[in-house]
Amino acid sequence: MTSDALQHTVAPLVYIASTVLFILGIKDLAKVRTARRGNAVAALGMLLAIVGALLELGLIDYRWIIGGVIVGTIIGAVFAIRVEMTAMPEMVALFNGFGGLASALVGVSVFWLDIEQAHPTTSVADTMGGAQAITVALSIIVGSVTFTGSLVALLKLQGRLKKGQPILLPSRHVINVALAVAAVVLSVWLYRAGADTAWIPCILLAVVSLVLGVLLTIPIGGADMPVVVSLLNSYSGIAASMAGFVIGNVLLIVAGAMVGAAGLILTQIMCVAMNRSLLNVLIGGFGATEASGESGGSSEYKNVKSCGPEEAAMVLETAESVIIVPGYGLAVAQAQHATREFATELEKRGTKVRYAIHPVAGRMPGHMNVLLAEADVPYEQLVEMDLINGDFADTDVSIILGANDVVNPVANKDPSSPIYGMPILNAYESQSVFVVKRSLSPGYAGIKNELFEYPNTMMIFGDAKDVLQSLIAEVKAL
Amino acid sequence: MTMGPLLMGLYVFILASFVGFEMITKVPPTLHTPLMSGANAISGITIVGAFAAATTAQPTVANILGAIAVCTATINVVGGFLVTDRMLRMFGSKKKRK
């Protein structure tokens, strides 16, 4: 076969096969039974895409490509194998950022090759073609915003950036709009620029976009980070799609667009779960106004009762049904295995144990499911919010493990609360509630949790894992 | 009817977006995190663009940027699929035991 046939016939056919595998892979990923196979199918699609790309490129110098792949594989594999299950949201944010960075770099690289290194005499648009010049600008913008936005999301999830609280610059909306306008103006400049000056708008565009990514993400509170990570996932898909327009590759356009749509749908699902509009999340500052009013005394807790594991174990001795409500605290304390062990201990005594999963518990949708699955909690014991909310009233004991805002009754009762209207788990309806928590500090929404003052609530202060281990010992001793 | 490459690309972009929407509307919440992670790995498809940007071994700006892009896109792809598999393996092991 001639190299021409390989480049223009075989390579596109391989790309088509790759597209089909991506679609089948995502479809399988959406079903519990086939999810793992789906991931493997999608990975195979990626392998085919790489084979197709190598065929299309033909005889070139592969040394730098191979070098990049080896270094990237080592770094990616080390991250993926060493990361704790609890840090999964951070991991997705980080990988997402790298994807966005790659797309932006592709845009700049193609621009540099065609304009700066070729020294054409015509303008950028005339040299590259208008469509390509526009998509170069778009891939730089979307890719750069994805990169720095993901890094900020990562720092917020780790609690390193002001403990995840919103950072509100004065007149931030004006600044953001100004930066967005600047990005548009720079794109137009890039489009019309002559080859000798075009590097100026190119570099400025990258800088403005990188800053925009930071500024768009810092005002958003840590509680909303799942939504942001999901949205950035969508962006990274769109960035890949734009890179596809730049290099004229349909496979990138298709795969990127599918990921972009998927991320958008997931984002929407999460917003619905929190009863917020996407716009409301993105404007940011959620919880910050409340936090500033906190000194007024409304956040002071009165009549909070606390107890130790022994007392809790005595209550649990007579309990026929127990619902465990896991939250991010469980992830932080790495308490998933202890939770499972504790539940097994209760089950041995004939207690019915179930887990109530709030859609936004943890830092990502399904975060709790992944953690509990790691500890081999039976799948059918995990019950979604809508299905279990009616059962709390007939439940003897609810145990809140490191969850906060998702069980705050104020969301049902107080229209002035910032989380009013957010669907919550009605744990307060059960006969007794135990809240395992390190302190009375507020959750990510930054507000007081009335549940802690309820007469049927007992606080058990401590690290979730430590408390569970004492509880296991106490229950065994009964 | 003839279409320029941009129009063709837009056409495909829009159709693929609809495919994405349709596939994701019916997903159990359990799979949201793995799905997000898996989709994220697929967005590493930009690796193909990165290859096209690093086709020589000369230390030009375009090539250096291309090689860095190859590296970061590979991290996205390899890390993304591996980490998704790690998550899903946990669901799998449980099924077998039942």
Side-chain angles (χ1 to χ4, degrees), chain A residues 284-346:
Chain A
F286 185 66
T289 46
E290 190 69 16
S292 62
E294 238 174 21
S295 50
S298 67
S299 67
E300 303 270 318
Y301 284 98
K302 295 180 285 263
N303 306 323
V304 172
K305 288 169 297 177
S306 70
C307 69
E310 326 77 47
E311 290 166 87
M314 283 190 275
V315 176
L316 286 166
E317 185 180 14
T318 55
E320 283 175 13
S321 56
V322 170
I323 295 179
I324 295 174
V325 181
Y328 190 58
L330 178 126
V332 172
Q334 301 273 336
Q336 62 272 37
H337 296 285
T339 306
R340 159 76 183 164
E341 209 183 314
F342 170 64
T344 312
E345 213 43 60
L346 289 178

Side-chain angles (χ1 to χ4, degrees), chain A residues 51 211 317:
Chain A
V51 170
V211 174
E317 185 180 14

Side-chain angles (χ1 to χ4, degrees), chain A residues 62-80:
Chain A
Y62 284 109
R63 280 177 292 173
W64 284 28
I65 291 179
I66 292 169
V69 167
I70 290 174
V71 174
T73 303
I74 292 171
I75 297 175
V78 167
F79 270 134

Side-chain angles (χ1 to χ4, degrees), chain A residues 103 106-111 114 128 131-140 239-249 252-253:
Chain A
S103 296
V106 169
V108 178
S109 171
V110 169
F111 165 82
D114 287 1
M128 301 181 85
Q132 216 187 2
I134 294 169
T135 50
V136 162
L138 284 174
S139 70
I140 293 173
S241 207
M242 291 305 130
F245 279 102
V246 171
I247 62 160
N249 187 314
L252 265 73
I253 299 176

Side-chain angles (χ1 to χ4, degrees), chain A residues 149-288:
Chain A
S150 297
L151 292 189
V152 171
L154 169 71
L155 291 177
K156 288 217 166 204
L157 284 165
Q158 290 181 330
R160 288 199 200 165
L161 210 63
K162 224 184 147 195
K163 292 186 176 157
Q165 289 296 309
I167 298 172
L168 302 174
L169 298 179
S171 54
R172 61 205 158 89
H173 296 309
V174 178
I175 299 174
N176 287 345
V177 170
L179 283 175
V181 170
V184 172
V185 170
L186 287 168
S187 302
V188 174
W189 181 7
L190 180 69
Y191 183 88
R192 299 172 57 112
D196 47 342
T197 55
W199 62 274
I200 304 172
C202 180
I203 301 280
L204 286 178
L205 188 61
V207 172
V208 164
S209 306
L210 290 170
V211 174
L212 191 60
V214 173
L215 293 187
L216 284 176
T217 318
I218 55 169
I220 302 173
D224 289 333
M225 273 309 125
V227 177
V228 174
V229 173
S230 175
L231 189 68
L232 289 169
N233 183 34
S234 172
Y235 286 177
S236 75
I238 294 168
S241 207
M242 291 305 130
F245 279 102
V246 171
I247 62 160
N249 187 314
V250 177
L251 176 60
L252 265 73
I253 299 176
V254 172
M258 288 194 304
V259 172
L264 212 55
I265 285 285
L266 263 185
T267 311
Q268 187 58 31
I269 291 171
M270 281 184 269
C271 285
V272 169
M274 295 196 293
N275 197 33
R276 315 257 314 272
S277 74
L278 183 55
L279 188 68
N280 184 254
V281 170
L282 294 182
I283 286 173
F286 185 66

